[in-house]
Amino acid sequence: MSADVVIAGGGPNGLMLACELSLAGVRPVVLERRPERTRENRANGLVGQVVRVLERRGLYERLSGSKEPPHPAPGFVFGALPLNLSVLEDNPLYLLPVPQLRIEEVLEERAVELDVEIRRGHEITGLSQQDDAVTIEIAGPTGPYRMNARYLVGADGGSSLTRKLAGIGFPGVTRDTAVSRTAHVTVLDTMVDPATGGLNVPGYGHIPPFMHHRTERGLFVYAPLPGKPPLVSTMEWPMDPPGDERPPTLDEMRDSVRRVLGSDLPLGEPTGEGPFLRRRLTGGNTRIADRYRERRILLVGDAAHVHSAIGGPGLNLGLQDAVNLGWKLAAEIRGWAPPGLLDSYETERRPASERVVMHTQAQSALITPGNEVTALRELFTELLGDRRNVQHIADMMAGADIRYDMGAGDAHPLIGQWAPDLLLDTSTGPVRLAALTGHARPLLLDLTKEGSLAGELPGWRDRVDVVTARLHDPVTALPHDSAASATALLLRPDCHIAWASASTRPGPDDREGLRAALSRWFGAPLAA
């Protein structure tokens, strides 16, 4: 039994990678040790660039239930400090409050539509590598068996067995000083503020919804998520952490809230249809794999990096890992990948994970108790009064500040960035860029008056699509910090810009630059 790619792990990252590979013409096999989809909800939504990434694949409407494109959030938090995003001209921070259960369901539905084979109740138990394949030992519902694959991708979480079997180290730190408790509950209607949806706690005051609320004794969050009873979360830093991972009782939740707020908050059992979350976590890990690739084995998502969940960056990081890796791995399997393309996965995504580790550690420091931390928060509050600092932090949390090295120097300020949301005037009418990227193929947007650049692509037409159009509103279409307008954009399948031009009439240098970018990212042209 053999496959082009075996993916260990059928969570969001593994399923997203499977979809990307299938779109690129490769049929992966997903192995998931759980016999059925988990009913435990481990996240409550998506934060950052990934919201727009999913729209570029036609998945946003399925998740949001809305035909409207995503809109940036007016506010968010950084280290339990409010971020007023409404002051930004170019707000990059998008939110999609959808439970992870639903995210997994939609990604699995899409994978099945793309003929991805998903084997539940199948778990990797061993592996060995050859020059041209990986041999995988698997325990399945009917007994052990063996598969050969050209590549194996570990998407099996922070405790990844794939990573361990491949001999890839996972350096970092483990801390056991904090205890967090989370539960679905009910609260008294009289305590819910009708204007904000937050809580008015007698003896304490108003607590806005969804915001991390720090006191000198801990952290409190009230999240009235739609369609479910509200979630209440606390975090404390006890002198002697109990190390108990059992779900907290409702009395324990009440006691923790009392310690954090210094006031009683009556909590009742949740009502309605479950499943309901009740979880206790002690400490946490911050680790990054010492390499993302060991010959024919690669890692994505939590298998490659773990960090604090503060600010909700996990799926933003992991799903974009999958989108970055998918087309590159498919190119390698289909035989047109230029040298070094697959290695660029780690080159590009490791700095992104290091940046997430940095800002989640910074946020974790800002929420801890202590007078020194309170003073630091006062300073940060002053700094967040400056719009430039708000922009910097919003870009960082969204992942919108990632700019890949495309080997094109500074030929155009958009090169390396993620393509902005464009409205294009085509021969058939206005079209949003998101409507052109669902097939996950490279795309040349020829926005010149003559539409003459398509003539440079005969040797790449099997890999690269071309759309001739005009910017619907050139004044507002491109980012505000763009130093020049664009008349042509070459997009990789992950929607990062590999080449761009500002020439209204592209000359020999522009055409040479385009051909160089095509060869660098999409391989040698076919012979005429």
Side-chain angles (χ1 to χ4, degrees):
M1 192 178 298
S2 63
D4 282 334
V5 181
V6 168
I7 300 172
N13 299 320
L15 291 170
M16 189 73 191
L17 177 61
C19 291
E20 293 292 297
L21 289 168
S22 186
L23 286 168
V26 173
R27 291 291 180 260
V29 175
V30 177
L31 305 178
E32 171 53 53
R33 63 180 180 81
R34 298 171 298 180
E36 58 185 27
R37 195 182 306 121
T38 181
R39 288 175 58 82
E40 179 186 354
N41 193 46
R42 288 167 291 178
N44 295 302
L46 298 168
V47 178
Q49 191 88 332
V50 68
V51 177
R52 292 195 284 176
V53 169
L54 290 174
E55 191 205 14
R56 296 278 170 95
R57 292 296 186 262
L59 296 170
Y60 176 78
E61 183 177 337
R62 297 193 192 194
L63 288 164
S64 68
S66 171
K67 294 184 179 297
E68 291 294 315
H71 298 284
F76 200 56
V77 289
F78 179 82
L81 293 168
L83 283 176
N84 180 11
L85 303 175
S86 66
V87 302
L88 302 181
E89 293 182 8
D90 185 17
N91 180 0
L93 201 59
Y94 290 73
L95 306 179
L96 182 57
V98 176
Q100 183 168 327
L101 291 174
R102 177 58 181 160
I103 295 169
E104 287 193 19
E105 182 181 26
V106 167
L107 288 174
E108 184 171 329
E109 288 173 355
R110 180 56 175 154
V112 170
E113 291 171 2
L114 294 170
D115 295 325
V116 172
E117 182 180 356
I118 302 172
R119 301 182 184 179
R120 290 199 170 273
H122 295 248
E123 183 175 12
I124 291 179
T125 58
L127 59 84
S128 60
Q129 292 203 64
Q130 299 81 47
D131 289 341
D132 59 353
V134 183
T135 300
I136 307 162
E137 305 290 340
I138 303 166
T142 60
Y145 65 100
R146 179 178 294 175
M147 284 189 73
N148 289 324
R150 295 180 65 180
Y151 288 91
L152 168 65
V153 180
D156 45 350
S159 300
S160 170
L161 181 61
T162 306
R163 184 187 64 237
K164 295 171 184 175
L165 292 172
I168 298 175
F170 205 37
V173 296
T174 298
R175 302 190 184 280
D176 59 0
T177 54
V179 178
S180 65
R181 299 174 178 88
T182 302
H184 279 111
V185 299
T186 53
V187 298
L188 297 176
D189 292 342
T190 55
M191 288 189 172
V192 178
D193 189 301
T196 67
L199 292 177
N200 294 318
V201 181
Y204 185 83
H206 181 68
I207 297 176
F210 302 109
M211 300 296 181
H212 294 135
H213 189 77
R214 176 191 178 265
T215 74
E216 289 292 348
R217 298 166 297 276
L219 196 73
F220 175 83
V221 181
Y222 173 71
L225 295 164
K228 285 283 187 181
L231 273 175
V232 164
S233 296
T234 64
M235 182 174 288
E236 299 180 81
W237 288 261
M239 294 294 293
D240 186 19
D244 187 355
E245 295 295 327
R246 291 176 299 175
T249 65
L250 200 56
D251 282 339
E252 192 177 340
M253 287 298 306
R254 296 186 188 107
D255 291 342
S256 181
V257 171
R258 184 184 304 111
R259 288 192 297 269
V260 171
L261 297 181
S263 297
D264 284 318
L265 177 61
L267 301 176
E269 294 285 354
T271 60
E273 183 180 354
F276 300 123
L277 179 64
R278 193 167 291 184
R279 182 176 60 200
R280 181 211 318 264
L281 297 174
T282 300
N285 286 314
T286 300
R287 299 180 180 275
I288 301 178
D290 59 25
R291 57 196 184 280
Y292 285 15
R293 180 184 179 188
E294 174 58 31
R295 297 167 62 195
R296 289 182 173 269
I297 300 172
L298 298 108
L299 305 175
V300 296
D302 289 355
H305 40 68
V306 293
H307 45 77
S308 169
I310 190 168
L315 288 174
N316 190 23
L317 184 61
L319 291 175
Q320 290 192 77
D321 284 352
V323 172
N324 186 286
L325 175 60
W327 70 276
K328 295 174 180 178
L329 185 53
E332 192 74 26
I333 290 169
R334 298 187 65 189
W336 59 257
L341 180 66
L342 192 53
D343 287 331
S344 73
Y345 164 62
E346 178 170 357
T347 302
E348 294 180 345
R349 294 308 294 165
R350 175 177 286 276
S353 65
E354 291 171 343
R355 195 147 179 82
V356 168
V357 164
M358 178 271 288
H359 77 67
T360 54
Q361 287 182 321
Q363 292 184 76
S364 296
L366 282 168
I367 64 175
T368 56
N371 293 333
E372 298 90 345
V373 176
T374 299
L376 183 63
R377 291 173 62 82
E378 290 175 359
L379 174 60
F380 259 78
T381 299
E382 292 180 13
L383 294 174
L384 291 177
D386 187 320
R387 182 184 59 79
R388 293 170 298 179
N389 294 333
V390 176
Q391 184 76 63
H392 183 89
I393 289 178
D395 287 343
M396 177 178 64
M397 294 186 73
D401 60 348
I402 297 297
R403 182 174 182 178
Y404 298 142
D405 180 5
M406 297 293 177
D410 296 323
H412 194 285
L414 288 177
I415 293 176
Q417 296 186 32
W418 199 70
D421 292 327
L422 301 176
L423 181 61
L424 305 168
D425 287 331
T426 70
S427 59
T428 58
V431 175
R432 294 185 63 244
L433 177 59
L436 304 174
T437 57
H439 297 296
R441 284 172 55 86
L443 176 65
L444 174 64
L445 293 178
D446 187 346
L447 310 175
T448 61
K449 291 183 179 179
E450 294 83 5
S452 61
L453 288 173
E456 306 300 323
L457 264 72
W460 289 277
R461 279 300 184 107
D462 63 317
R463 282 154 274 169
V464 182
D465 293 335
V466 181
V467 171
T468 301
R470 304 285 185 275
L471 289 176
H472 184 74
D473 184 357
V475 175
T476 61
L478 297 172
H480 296 285
D481 60 355
S482 175
S485 61
T487 55
L489 298 170
L490 178 64
L491 275 59
R492 305 189 321 185
D494 59 3
C495 288
H496 278 264
I497 299 171
W499 172 86
S501 173
S503 301
T504 55
R505 296 179 183 274
D509 289 345
D510 294 291
R511 297 174 186 276
E512 181 180 348
L514 172 58
R515 290 192 295 270
L518 288 165
S519 296
R520 177 184 177 89
W521 294 108
F522 312 125
L526 295 175

